[in-house]
Amino acid sequence: MITISLSSSIPLQDQLVAELRRLIATGKLSVGDDLPPVRQLANDLGINLNTVARAYRELTDAGLLTSVRGRGTVVIDTTERPRGKPNEERKRVEQILGAALTDAKIAGFSESEARAMIERQIERIWKS
Amino acid sequence: MSDPIGVFGRFVMLCFVPMMLAAPLLWAILTPNRVGSDSQRMVVRTRMSALVIFTLLAFAAWGGLLLMTLQLPTSNPLTQAHRHMWVAFFPLWFGLAMPVIRAKSCDWQPSASQTSGIPQYSTTGDAFPGPVVRTASLTNRTHDTPLQTWEWTLGIGLSLACIVCIAMRGLYPFAKLEALEPGQVSFFQWALALSIYTICVGSQWFFVPYSLKLSHLEPEPLDSTGSRELQEMYRQHRRQKIRLLFWMTAVLVPVFLGAMVAWMVWWPEYFQWVGIVGAIGGSLLGIAGGIMGMLMSAQRMRIAEFKSQLDATAGTALEQTS
């Protein structure tokens, strides 16, 4: 199941990409699973075909999906193709994590609460 | 023309052709106009004008041919062309009337149909129209076909059997077109019947997989919880619709049409009966298709109602938690 919000400030394509990445990361979608055709997903969500097609393409470029003739779009990997060297990749993820933790601090959460949040996410993503 | 069946057959065709030519325009006129803006009204008017002009042209051609063929024998190509003027129904309907109906019925627009029944409750407890959350299943529906291999084999087999049955008439002698007696068939008539049937059934089979695929892709928006019951209702509805569509378009229609054409080329002495049985059978098939469509629409409305209940429940729950 995939959910998007039309009122969010995040573009629909990015929401779709994030949702699909989350489903792959948490094991809800595993290698060999079929994704719905672009038209089906676009019809069900009531969004433009191109938005879904672009989201699929982004994940295909990242090495998570591929198109198989006669079958459609299939999950082929649960790990993204590295965007750069390992060090650069680590730096990029740390930056995202840093920004999220900064958000948490500015929003008034304590250190222990932030730790609990991270623990919960680790539990959800790695141990589900 | 003293043959009462012949007179009746001619009378039926005399009523049938104008009815077919007028049907698209009548349907377009009777469709309630739900347009809201001036630009949409303009689109309807332009499309309606085109439909009116081409319907009048079709009637003019039919009337002209009627006058020209009053004294001509049935075997004359002009008489045949006059009788087959009903074929103009298809371009009038698909090319001109459908766009008018679509323009008049805003509910049929893809953008509207795609968003109908999609949850539009507020996730923050604000008044409608708050944040719009949309949920969809990730199951590839095109892989969930209700049709078994034997159904495809039967459909294709029956269509091929009809073609073979019509083609087999070619092994027997024909009468000359110039000296055609009632109850005889000429090579030209047989070749025409065979090619028209093959083209009709061939194009039918060409479009069957496409139309079935479209049925798989009809919007099935879920509620925010992805209710299993709702998904099952959609699934049942979709499978039923695909099966009915397949049996209607890929089995019943080609077989009925094939039987009529085969009857015409093998037993031309009953030619007038073919017209009557064909008109009645065709109408019955059309009525069956119409009933099928209405039942499916009613079922779809029940699903939409159930979904809106689920959405309302989810909306209330969210308002209570916020």
Side-chain angles (χ1 to χ4, degrees):
Chain A
M1 214 174 75
I2 192 162
T3 302
I4 56 162
S5 168
L6 263 67
S7 63
S8 167
S9 56
I10 304 165
L12 289 174
Q13 184 188 332
D14 294 350
Q15 286 188 52
L16 272 177
V17 169
E19 273 284 278
L20 289 169
R21 290 176 85 213
R22 179 184 65 80
L23 291 167
I24 292 170
T26 54
K28 301 245 167 61
L29 280 174
S30 40
V31 173
D33 280 355
D34 294 327
L35 285 184
V38 168
R39 190 177 290 272
Q40 179 190 314
L41 194 56
N43 282 350
D44 288 0
L45 293 172
I47 58 175
N48 195 288
L49 283 178
N50 291 328
T51 309
V52 180
R54 279 199 302 265
Y56 276 16
R57 207 173 305 133
E58 194 176 325
L59 293 170
T60 304
D61 291 345
L64 294 173
L65 307 178
T66 194
S67 288
V68 178
R69 187 175 278 273
R71 200 174 148 193
T73 310
V74 184
V75 179
I76 46 161
D77 210 336
T78 51
T79 319
E80 270 187 353
R81 193 178 292 141
R83 293 174 199 189
K85 290 174 186 164
N87 275 349
E88 288 170 1
E89 193 69 356
R90 187 181 300 275
K91 213 170 171 180
R92 184 182 68 82
V93 174
E94 271 183 8
Q95 266 177 1
I96 296 168
L97 202 59
L101 288 172
T102 310
D103 263 5
K105 189 175 180 186
I106 283 178
F109 291 102
S110 66
E111 189 187 328
S112 58
E113 280 172 322
R115 260 181 221 286
M117 278 182 207
I118 291 172
E119 284 296 326
R120 260 203 309 280
Q121 291 305 319
I122 289 172
E123 189 72 29
R124 188 173 70 88
I125 296 165
W126 269 273
K127 296 170 186 171
S128 58
Chain B
M1 253 313 150
S2 57
D3 172 24
I5 296 172
V7 175
F8 181 64
R10 197 145 187 178
F11 177 72
V12 167
M13 286 312 282
L14 206 64
C15 300
F16 176 70
V17 179
M19 261 168 55
M20 290 295 277
L21 297 182
L25 181 62
L26 283 177
W27 199 279
I29 290 170
L30 291 174
T31 303
N33 201 343
R34 296 198 177 92
V35 296
S37 66
D38 283 344
S39 60
Q40 280 179 318
R41 214 163 283 131
M42 198 64 201
V43 170
V44 171
R45 202 170 299 148
T46 314
R47 290 180 184 179
M48 186 62 104
S49 308
L51 176 61
V52 170
I53 290 167
F54 279 96
T55 306
L56 288 176
L57 283 175
F59 265 102
W62 177 78
L65 280 172
L66 176 69
L67 290 175
M68 286 163 73
T69 58
L70 276 176
Q71 302 299 325
L72 293 175
T74 317
S75 57
N76 189 288
L78 272 181
T79 316
Q80 291 296 324
H82 176 244
R83 285 190 167 194
H84 287 89
M85 271 294 292
W86 63 268
V87 176
F89 165 84
F90 295 106
L92 286 174
W93 176 254
F94 291 108
L96 297 163
M98 289 282 280
V100 175
I101 295 165
R102 212 174 57 210
K104 283 175 103 177
S105 318
C106 304
D107 300 346
W108 289 12
Q109 299 293 342
S111 55
S113 67
Q114 281 166 10
T115 53
S116 65
I118 283 173
Q120 301 206 348
Y121 53 81
S122 161
T123 50
T124 55
D126 295 339
F128 181 86
V132 181
V133 175
R134 293 181 181 180
T135 307
S137 163
L138 280 175
T139 311
N140 189 335
R141 296 200 285 270
T142 53
H143 294 168
D144 180 33
T145 174
L147 297 169
Q148 309 283 319
T149 315
W150 70 265
E151 288 172 293
W152 285 99
T153 315
L154 181 78
I156 295 169
L158 285 173
S159 293
L160 287 175
C162 288
I163 293 174
V164 169
C165 177
I166 299 161
M168 291 277 279
R169 175 64 185 84
L171 297 174
Y172 295 89
F174 293 107
K176 289 202 167 161
L177 187 62
E178 309 85 65
L180 203 64
E181 297 275 324
Q184 290 182 326
V185 67
S186 69
F187 174 80
F188 171 74
Q189 287 172 321
W190 167 76
L192 189 71
L194 179 63
S195 33
I196 286 180
Y197 180 72
T198 311
I199 291 167
C200 282
V201 170
S203 32
Q204 185 94 337
W205 274 103
F206 181 77
F207 286 112
V208 161
Y210 181 70
S211 58
L212 294 180
K213 193 180 172 190
L214 280 183
S215 299
H216 277 110
L217 302 177
E218 196 180 327
E220 294 184 7
L222 297 177
D223 66 310
S224 59
T225 60
S227 156
R228 286 250 170 236
E229 203 180 341
L230 181 64
Q231 288 188 45
E232 190 52 34
M233 281 170 92
Y234 276 132
R235 186 170 176 267
Q236 292 296 335
H237 168 77
R238 184 182 352 111
R239 289 173 73 89
Q240 206 176 351
K241 189 174 64 184
I242 288 170
R243 182 158 270 153
L244 281 170
L245 192 68
F246 176 82
W247 277 88
M248 182 62 87
T249 57
V251 183
L252 286 177
V253 170
V255 167
F256 177 72
L257 204 64
M260 290 298 104
V261 177
W263 185 0
M264 216 161 66
V265 296
W266 278 100
W267 297 282
E269 60 270 31
Y270 301 112
F271 181 76
Q272 304 295 350
W273 280 107
V274 177
I276 295 164
V277 174
I280 295 169
S283 306
L284 288 176
L285 276 177
I287 291 167
I291 292 172
M292 184 190 102
M294 282 193 290
L295 287 175
M296 288 295 107
S297 300
Q299 205 177 67
R300 181 82 194 183
M301 274 166 69
R302 277 198 295 276
I303 297 174
E305 254 170 52
F306 178 67
K307 189 184 161 297
S308 49
Q309 280 170 13
L310 291 173
D311 289 339
T313 316
T316 315
L318 277 165
E319 276 170 27
Q320 281 168 356
T321 51
S322 66

